[in-house]
Amino acid sequence: MITIAISKGRMQDDAIDLLAQAGVRLSADSLASRKLAIEDQSGEYRFIFVKPADVPVYVEHGIADCGVVGRDVLLESGADVLLPLDLGIARCRLVVAAMDPTVISRAFGMLRVATKYSRLASAHFGSRGIPVEIIQLSGSVELAPALGLSDVIVDLVETGRTLKENGLSVVEVITESTGRLVVNRASYQLKASEIARLSNALTKAIEGVNVA
Ligand code: PRP
């Protein structure tokens, strides 16, 4: 059996749809349940639903053979996992945003950066020689500049609606992100044929070929 860790939240529905197109289907009962570990209809796959930041943890430790997670989360985690496939789902950008785009050039001393992505934010400003104080948040990051907690934020933008409705605009794009299939190093060897079958079926599904 192959265990697949799925990011709960914004990527979950697209991941389940894509897997169904690849022939890996969950029953309506399982989908409606609150169970965090369920099997697909064939009994070949077990799904576990975890917070996005925990997907690389489960896969790196081999508890899950594979995972579906955003490139943003993966880069932030620094996890040692294999990354065979761009699933093309949940496309978004990791950006620096501010209420006043000139704030970076005007900042005295440390620029205060609120983010869930402390590692990527530090690397981004570090590479540009801008001293920053990273303020680690867990969500609703767009609130921070309006309430005076930070000068800028580093966060994901998908439609841009959350930024706009909180008076923020994009100052610069750090990187692009999409959902990825990630694989545990040992599973890649030990379950090579099963993982190749899953990866090939997902590739066909991405290309719009019906494999059902
Ligand atoms: C993400 C991201 C933004 C929002 C962007 O938040 O952190 O807040 O989506 O989407 P938009 O550009 O389409 O408005 P998420 O829903 O993951 O919640 P959280 O960051 O507050 O936990």
Side-chain angles (χ1 to χ4, degrees):
M1 182 180 271
I2 297 279
T3 299
I4 307 176
I6 304 276
S7 295
K8 285 202 294 185
R10 52 198 295 281
M11 193 168 299
Q12 183 174 331
D13 290 348
D14 286 352
I16 288 169
D17 285 352
L18 191 63
L19 282 157
Q21 287 167 44
V24 182
R25 295 209 172 73
L26 296 167
S27 69
D29 281 354
S30 318
L31 284 173
S33 80
R34 300 289 287 264
K35 283 188 184 161
L36 297 172
I38 51 182
E39 285 182 20
D40 82 319
Q41 289 174 335
S42 72
E44 280 180 73
Y45 299 96
R46 179 172 66 143
F47 288 79
I48 57 173
F49 294 95
V50 298
K51 289 254 188 192
D54 295 340
V55 171
V57 178
Y58 279 94
V59 175
E60 186 175 24
H61 287 79
I63 309 303
D65 301 297
C66 305
V68 175
V69 64
R71 177 173 177 265
D72 53 313
V73 173
L74 206 60
L75 291 175
E76 178 66 20
S77 77
D80 180 23
V81 294
L82 299 172
L83 214 166
L85 201 57
D86 181 349
L87 301 174
I89 57 174
R91 192 170 293 279
C92 56
R93 296 172 296 156
L94 185 72
V95 305
V96 180
M99 305 192 80
D100 172 3
T102 67
V103 70
I104 296 179
S105 52
R106 289 190 298 98
F108 284 111
M110 304 268 239
L111 185 73
R112 295 171 306 151
V113 182
T115 188
K116 288 196 286 190
Y117 299 87
S118 54
R119 186 182 178 126
L120 294 176
S122 293
H124 174 72
F125 288 107
S127 72
R128 303 186 50 200
I130 298 172
V132 292
E133 176 195 350
I134 300 290
I135 300 163
Q136 177 78 37
L137 294 177
S138 305
S140 303
V141 175
E142 292 87 350
L143 273 174
L147 299 181
L149 181 63
S150 73
D151 302 309
V152 301
I153 63 168
V154 167
D155 200 19
L156 285 190
V157 178
E158 192 167 352
T159 63
R161 193 169 160 201
T162 312
L163 283 190
K164 192 166 176 225
E165 293 190 7
N166 290 284
L168 298 162
S169 52
V170 174
V171 179
E172 50 197 355
V173 176
I174 298 176
T175 191
E176 310 262 335
S177 180
T178 46
R180 306 293 168 115
L181 178 73
V182 295
V183 180
N184 171 267
R185 282 190 179 278
S187 300
Y188 196 74
Q189 307 283 344
L190 297 170
K191 300 184 181 178
S193 61
E194 293 96 322
I195 285 170
R197 190 147 51 89
L198 175 65
S199 177
N200 290 338
L202 282 168
T203 302
K204 287 194 177 127
I206 295 161
E207 290 166 355
V209 180
N210 192 355
V211 291

